């Protein structure tokens, strides 16, 4: 939902900034999304080209006069395979048929229908109409005579009390009828061609609710029945694609508002981001999904996998411009890709034509989803020429490159598209190629290394070969500052002794701790910059050194200060210096292992994520443990006291944060105040 | 010289059996690792090719088997080890009678693993509505449709880990219990006089250092046990390869290549790699817990 919020904000901002005539053709802005899910402008995807309002519908009144009777509060629209447009003209109790240019052809069911809210036409030309008031679904022959009436099923499994209020209807390949019925929680009502009840289909689910479960367990049946029942919402609208897969849209659902259902009624789409008020969906011949939002007037377009392609449209707040809507209630797409959007309040149908840019994308998507990545590459390149931020295009080009075996290019493109799964696969292939070329070298190198190490050891023991180097190394280790720095290694294995030596034997100094603190920053920078993109969520191009500096040092010093202050009033015996040195040394695991881990991450793919993840967590846990031991040993606490002290220190850090925030804010005020006095005085003096 | 000969005479039966059943098979397997051997034709020497194939060509090994094995070994090995020590230490704190009963109770899963598998786990995680877990979850309304626990790639690994942790309290656990119980009580008393203040210090300064041999034994057992666990995936899912290779461990992979595809040379190569793994990790444990001298 945050996406929607972003769009709203952006729309508002653009409306405020540019009052009028920005887009001479389309009165709205089209958005798409970059790899981080942030909205970005893109070329106009659809341009309004006209409306159908039905003023050419001529009706002869009983008096013999001929009157115009335009559409009135229409609720549903359908386009059949011959591009004829069917509108359920709810207010006028009829179905109106237009040709694809919007010319009125004829009406159907004028004497029969009462409140038709849904219309669908099957491949043989039968017209199905859901009538909400008459609680029936009518099947008309093409000439307008009634062929069949679907009524409330008699079957006991349908339930005597179950409501049958058909609002929308569709037919699948087997001529089964799917009815959206207001108030049916179990799902769509599925009827056979002869009206027999087949079952409920693709119902929504309520989320698991712990409180409700507890109530169910603890209350008696009587008490439980009195409670407000939690019921799943029924679908709002439904669509069917050429293969016979059924799509439902549900207004008011937070998750899975748009679903693509398989035969078993399971959702095939990932949870796709959309709005709360989807009133209609439709699917074009290439399985792109279009949805329309009745309260904000937005139109969403998704690719067959449910990736959001475009958001456009907007609310008509009285300026009557083409391309804005008041309460769009239906959407349909013609064979040539034009969108027909039915507006209930404006009582018209607006026609939007895809731009060249959109056509390009559609072609590319349809090629990609058929697996013809190579053919789609040119189209994607063309798309990128026009909008280099279009992440789906990067994805498509990446797939083409992958297919061609150009894994390096694929890697780059997937990185731009933010497609981590394919990125990992490309990386995998690159690594495999590298291994094929170098594996024998590496293996023999490792064996040679161990053999030579073994021989050198033997030689040293027997003949004292290289004794000077060993002596030199020991002398080097003996240098004060080196010993102090190497103390980090001792901390790893013997934290308690390590802290004891820190305290008693002066094994570390403020100088060495400060030096380590500087190294810490370098290590941190290295980690965030060099970690494999698969594992890091940091964009290495957007790293700001100052921010990172603050991120590291501010919490660290806040901790040192708070811990010292808290422990002085809590019988802690540690001095400020020892808390500082101890804290830095507690970060030894991070200091020592982060760089090797970062280098290792370069060789890993998503498959081996568990190794990276485990190591990372181990480092953090280890550092946390050392910090705990630090507090315990430095201040001479028991375990309970240590925990209390650490909790208090953490609370202290929060307090410190709040206080400094207030102080900062106030000091700004003071500076402002002083400055204005200065200005005042300056003016007066002059 | 004579002395040595008589000593050799004493160990001869063991030596013969040991070399017959352990040393020779290992050497033969190590040789097969460098050959192409399909059990019908005589083995054909192909040098390092098996190993190179293993790393560069065998996608299943690199994409599923290695990561799975690492995940499994890290959680079950380390987790089971820590659990074994904690349980042993806690058991040592209670009186003898309940301790004996509890010890038996905790040790029994590792003895009865085979039976429990068919009686408990397969029914518990059964994929239909009647499976205990499914039935329970449906009853409280958490799920509407039964989940295929043992056949779905997302769940198989988790279940393997759970079941293995459950029966990981084996010999290592018993050894650790013996170790904890055998720490000299006087050491604790002496330490308390010297200023030791709490249980944590007890464990850290006395219990662990005094039972290093048992800790080492437990660690090595844990390593061997986790790397040898391969059957569990097949037992649970009922198929090898496991569904979408989600539970494929090194041993399952060896069985797959050796006894299903009869590619003995390749299977031997994987076994050799496994041997190197186990040896390496055992060395690491020695470093950690072994006596210095």
């Amino acid at each position: 939902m945050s996406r929607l919020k972003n769009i709203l904000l952006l729309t508002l901002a653009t409306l405020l900034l540019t009052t009028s005539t920005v887009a001479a053709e389309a009165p709205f802005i089209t958005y798409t999304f970059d790899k981080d899910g942030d909205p970005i402008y893109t070329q106009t995807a659809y341009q309004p080209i006209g409306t159908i309002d039905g003023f050419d519908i001529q009706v002869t009144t009983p008096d013999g006069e001929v009157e115009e009777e335009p559409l009135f509060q229409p609720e549903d629209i359908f386009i059949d395979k011959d591009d004829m447009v069917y509108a359920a003209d709810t207010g006028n109790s009829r179905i109106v048929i237009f040709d694809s240019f919007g010319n009125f052809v004829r009406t159907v069911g004028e004497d029969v229908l009462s409140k038709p809210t849904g219309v669908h036409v099957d491949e043989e030309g039968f017209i199905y109409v859901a009538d909400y008031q008459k609680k029936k679904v009518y099947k008309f022959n093409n000439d307008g005579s009634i062929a069949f009436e679907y009524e409330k099923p008699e079957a006991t499994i349908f339930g005597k009390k179950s409501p049958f209020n058909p609002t929308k209807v569709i037919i699948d390949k087997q001529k089964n009828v799917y009815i959206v019925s207001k108030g049916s929680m179990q799902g769509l009502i599925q009827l056979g061609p002869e009206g027999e009840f087949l079952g409920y289909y693709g119902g929504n689910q309520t989320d698991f609710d712990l409180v409700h479960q507890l109530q169910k367990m603890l209350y008696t049946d009587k008490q439980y029945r009195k409670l407000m029942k939690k019921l799943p919402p029924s679908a709002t609208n439904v669509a069917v694609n050429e293969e016979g897969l059924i799509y439902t849209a549900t207004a008011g659902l937070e998750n899975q508002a748009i679903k693509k259902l398989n035969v078993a009624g399971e959702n095939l789409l990932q949870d796709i981001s959309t709005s709360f008020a989807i009133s209609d969906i439709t699917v074009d011949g290439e399985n792109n999904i279009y949805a329309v939002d009745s309260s904000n007037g937005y139109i969403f377009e998704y690719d067959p996998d449910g990736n959001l392609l475009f958001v456009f449209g907007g609310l008509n707040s009285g300026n009557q411009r083409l391309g804005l809507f008041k309460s769009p209630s239906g959407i349909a797409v013609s064979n040539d890709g034009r969108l027909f959007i039915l507006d209930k309040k404006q009582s018209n149908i607006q026609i939007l034509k895809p731009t060249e840019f959109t056509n390009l994308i559609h072609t590319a998507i349809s090629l990609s989803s058929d697996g013809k990545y190579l053919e789609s590459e040119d189209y994607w390149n063309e798309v990128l020429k026009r909008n280099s931020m279009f992440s789906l295009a990067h994805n498509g080009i990446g797939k083409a490159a992958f297919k061609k075996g150009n894994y390096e290019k694929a890697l780059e493109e997937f990185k731009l598209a933010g497609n981590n799964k394919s990125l990992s696969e490309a990386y995998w292939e690159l690594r495999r190629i590298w291994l094929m070329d170098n594996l024998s070298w590496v293996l023999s190198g490792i064996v040679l290394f161990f053999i030579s190490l073994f021989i050198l050891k033997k030689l040293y023991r027997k003949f004292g070969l290289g004794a000077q180097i060993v002596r030199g190394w020991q002398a080097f280790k003996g240098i004060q500052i080196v010993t102090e720095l190497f103390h980090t290694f001792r901390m790893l294995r013997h934290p308690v002794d390590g802290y004891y030596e820190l305290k008693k034997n002066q094994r570390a100094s403020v100088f060495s701790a400060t030096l380590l603190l500087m190294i810490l920053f370098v290590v941190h920078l290295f980690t965030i910059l060099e970690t494999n993109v698969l594992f890091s969520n940091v964009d290495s191009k957007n790293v700001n050194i100052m921010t990172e500096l603050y991120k590291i040092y501010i919490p660290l010093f806040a901790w040192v200060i708070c811990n010292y202050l808290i422990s002085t009033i809590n019988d802690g015996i540690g001095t400020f210096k020892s808390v500082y040195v101890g804290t830095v040394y507690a970060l030894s695991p991070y200091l020592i292992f982060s760089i090797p881990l970062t280098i290792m991450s370069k060789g890993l793919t998503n498959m081996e994520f568990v190794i990276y993840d485990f190591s990372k967590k181990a480092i953090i846990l280890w550092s946390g443990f050392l910090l705990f031991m630090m507090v315990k040993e430095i201040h001479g606490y028991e375990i309970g006291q240590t925990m209390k002290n650490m909790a208090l220190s953490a609370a202290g850090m929060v307090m410190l944060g709040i206080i400094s925030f207030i102080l900062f804010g106030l000091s700004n005020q003071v500076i402002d105040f002083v400055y204005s006095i200065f200005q005042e005085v300056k003016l007066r003096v002059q | 010289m004579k002395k040595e000969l008589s000593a050799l005479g004493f160990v001869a039966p063991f030596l013969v059996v040991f070399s017959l059943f352990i040393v020779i098979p290992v050497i033969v397997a190590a040789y097969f690792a460098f050959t192409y051997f399909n059990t019908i034709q005589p083995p054909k020497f192909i040098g390092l090719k098996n190993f190179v194939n293993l790393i560069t060509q065998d996608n299943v090994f690199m994409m599923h088997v290695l990561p799975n094995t690492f995940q499994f070994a890290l959680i079950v090995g380390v987790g089971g080890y820590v659990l074994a020590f904690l349980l042993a230490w806690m058991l040592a704190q209670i009186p003898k009678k309940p301790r004996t009963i509890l010890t038996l109770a905790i040790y029994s899963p590792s003895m009865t693993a085979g039976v429990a598998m068919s009686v408990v786990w397969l029914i518990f995680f059964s994929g239909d509505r009647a499976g205990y877990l499914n039935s329970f979850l449906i009853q409280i309304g958490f799920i509407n449709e039964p989940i295929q626990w043992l056949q779905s790639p997302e769940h198989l690994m988790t279940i393997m880990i759970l079941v293995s942790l459950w029966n990981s309290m084996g010999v290592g656990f018993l050894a650790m219990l013996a170790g904890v119980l055998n720490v000299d009580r006087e050491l604790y008393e002496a330490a308390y006089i010297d200023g030791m203040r709490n249980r944590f210090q007890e464990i850290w300064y006395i219990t662990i250092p005094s039972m290093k041999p048992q800790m080492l034994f437990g660690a090595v057992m844990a390593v061997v046990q986790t790397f040898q666990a391969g059957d569990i995936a097949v037992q649970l899912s009922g198929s090898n390869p496991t569904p979408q290779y989600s539970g494929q461990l090194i041993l399952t992979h060896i069985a797959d290549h050796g006894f299903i595809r009869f590619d003995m040379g390749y299977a031997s190569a994987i076994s050799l790699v496994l041997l190197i793994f186990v040896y390496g990790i055992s060395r690491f444990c020695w470093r950690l817990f072994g006596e210095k001298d």
Side-chain angles (χ1 to χ4, degrees), chain A residues 45-49 79-81 83 100 242 282-286 288 290 299 301 310 312 331-341 350-356 358-359 362-363:
Chain A
Y46 288 88
Q47 284 171 349
I49 52 169
I79 295 178
D80 74 0
K81 60 179 196 310
D83 265 356
S100 70
E242 282 180 355
T282 189
V283 187
D284 71 6
E286 269 123 32
N288 296 311
Y290 304 82
I299 297 158
E301 183 183 348
F310 299 117
F312 54 94
I331 185 168
V333 55
S334 66
N335 289 334
D336 56 0
R338 283 174 302 153
L339 294 180
F340 288 70
I341 291 139
Q350 297 197 25
I351 307 174
L352 272 64
K353 190 176 170 236
T355 55
E356 199 191 343
T358 312
N359 281 331
H362 283 176
T363 318

Side-chain angles (χ1 to χ4, degrees), chain A residues 209-217 224 228-230:
Chain A
D209 183 350
L210 192 70
V211 179
H212 221 72
Q213 281 311 316
L214 279 177
Q215 287 170 337
K216 196 173 175 182
M217 268 157 63
Y224 184 68
M228 274 282 282
K229 284 264 170 61
K230 211 181 151 190

Side-chain angles (χ1 to χ4, degrees), chain A residues 369-664:
Chain A
S369 55
D370 289 348
K372 295 175 185 155
Y373 298 120
L374 296 181
E375 287 92 326
S376 72
E377 194 184 4
D378 291 340
Y379 293 99
W380 285 129
N381 275 325
E382 199 61 35
V383 171
L384 276 193
K385 262 186 213 156
R386 289 153 204 234
N387 187 344
S388 61
M389 298 280 278
F390 212 83
S391 59
L392 219 58
H394 285 294
N395 206 3
I397 294 173
K399 285 208 167 126
F402 191 87
K403 190 123 189 211
K404 275 193 267 184
N406 188 350
Y407 301 118
E408 267 158 57
K409 174 142 191 246
L411 191 78
E412 271 316 303
E413 294 293 338
F414 288 139
K415 217 184 267 182
L416 286 170
N419 181 347
N420 263 0
K421 195 166 160 268
S422 305
L423 180 60
S424 170
E425 275 162 24
Y427 199 76
W428 169 274
E429 293 296 338
L430 280 179
R431 187 178 67 177
R432 191 230 292 271
I433 292 167
W434 186 88
L435 276 175
M436 293 245 262
D437 293 344
N438 302 303
L439 187 68
S440 43
W441 287 105
V442 174
L443 279 183
S444 22
I446 290 173
V447 173
L448 267 180
F449 174 76
F450 277 105
I451 291 176
S452 49
L453 205 70
F454 180 75
I455 294 174
L456 276 180
K457 254 188 184 169
K458 279 265 151 145
L459 285 178
Y460 171 69
R461 295 232 171 100
K462 275 230 163 110
F463 310 109
L465 188 84
Q468 273 169 333
I469 300 174
V470 175
R471 237 174 282 138
W473 173 244
Q474 248 134 27
F476 173 70
K477 265 168 83 173
I479 302 171
Q480 168 100 29
I481 182 69
V482 177
T483 326
E484 287 176 0
L485 289 181
F486 270 108
H487 194 63
T488 46
F489 288 96
R490 184 155 172 77
M491 299 300 303
L492 294 183
R493 277 189 65 189
H494 299 283
V496 179
D497 298 346
Y499 277 116
Y500 179 80
E501 286 158 18
L502 214 81
K503 214 161 53 169
K504 294 275 177 243
N505 305 6
Q506 305 287 313
R507 262 317 204 15
S509 58
V510 175
F511 176 63
S512 73
T514 313
L515 207 61
L516 281 175
L517 212 55
M518 287 170 189
I519 298 174
L520 180 77
F521 184 64
V522 176
V523 170
H524 174 73
L525 271 190
F526 184 81
T527 314
I528 57 171
L529 289 180
E530 291 298 312
T531 300
N532 194 339
V533 269
L534 287 175
F535 306 136
S536 88
N537 41 19
V538 185
D539 188 356
S540 54
K541 288 189 193 75
N542 292 339
V543 171
N544 182 343
I545 292 196
M546 280 319 280
T547 336
E548 296 304 322
L549 209 70
Y550 294 142
K551 260 199 237 168
I552 289 271
Y553 289 131
I554 289 179
L556 203 127
F557 280 106
W559 158 264
V560 172
I561 292 166
C562 288
N563 187 269
Y564 171 69
L565 293 179
I566 294 286
S567 49
T568 36
I569 51 173
N570 264 340
D571 308 328
I573 53 172
T575 58
F576 186 77
K577 182 185 141 195
S578 61
V579 172
Y580 170 65
V581 175
T583 303
V584 174
Y585 272 82
L587 298 175
S588 302
Y590 184 79
L591 281 167
I592 293 171
F593 291 113
S594 274
I595 289 183
L597 182 65
T598 305
I599 293 170
M600 188 181 83
S601 82
K602 298 231 145 204
L604 298 177
T605 62
N606 264 355
M607 283 288 164
E608 298 92 6
F609 177 67
V610 60
I611 300 173
Y612 178 80
D613 191 46
F614 185 88
S615 319
K616 189 111 199 164
K617 278 182 186 145
I619 288 178
I620 293 169
L621 270 180
W622 204 345
S623 297
F625 173 72
L626 284 181
L627 205 64
F628 182 83
M629 294 309 290
M630 185 276 285
V631 175
K632 188 173 167 311
E633 295 300 318
I634 298 263
H635 297 302
Y637 282 148
E638 301 287 325
I639 289 193
Q641 280 175 299
T642 315
M643 285 180 183
K644 191 175 135 204
N645 178 280
M646 288 182 83
L648 283 175
S649 306
M653 281 165 75
V654 175
M655 291 300 293
L656 198 68
I658 295 172
I659 292 170
S660 46
F661 181 71
I662 293 172
L663 277 182
F664 189 70

Side-chain angles (χ1 to χ4, degrees), chain A residues 132-269:
Chain A
Y132 181 69
Q133 208 151 42
K134 291 210 165 167
K135 295 189 192 294
K136 273 182 191 172
V137 172
Y138 292 97
K139 177 180 178 184
F140 292 101
N141 289 317
N142 210 342
D143 59 11
S145 55
I146 295 178
F148 199 83
E149 292 176 21
Y150 297 89
E151 293 179 39
K152 182 174 175 177
E154 305 272 304
T156 30
I157 42 163
F158 179 75
K160 277 230 152 29
K161 282 182 190 161
S162 305
F164 187 73
N165 308 319
T167 54
K168 307 285 172 195
V169 60
I170 51 152
I171 316 298
D172 73 0
K173 285 260 158 189
Q174 284 76 39
K175 303 279 172 237
N176 294 322
V177 184
Y178 293 80
I179 298 167
V180 176
S181 157
K182 205 166 193 177
S184 287
M185 290 96 59
Q186 292 99 320
L188 307 177
I189 296 167
Q190 191 186 10
L191 300 179
E194 303 301 319
E196 67 273 20
F197 180 63
L198 298 179
Y200 289 105
Y201 179 82
N204 291 312
Q205 291 170 359
T206 47
D207 296 330
F208 179 72
D209 183 350
L210 192 70
V211 179
H212 221 72
Q213 281 311 316
L214 279 177
Q215 287 170 337
K216 196 173 175 182
M217 268 157 63
L218 299 176
Y219 287 11
T220 60
D221 271 359
K222 220 173 169 184
Q223 283 172 318
Y224 184 68
R225 251 180 275 135
K226 273 189 195 161
L227 274 176
M228 274 282 282
K229 284 264 170 61
K230 211 181 151 190
L231 299 173
S234 56
T236 318
N237 217 322
V238 62
V240 60
N241 74 357
E242 282 180 355
E243 295 146 31
L245 286 173
I246 288 168
Y247 295 73
T248 62
T250 311
L253 264 194
E254 200 164 338
N255 300 318
Q256 305 195 329
I258 295 176
K259 294 204 271 188
K260 176 185 184 179
L261 302 165
N262 66 5
V263 183
E266 283 160 8
N267 188 9
L268 300 176
L269 288 181

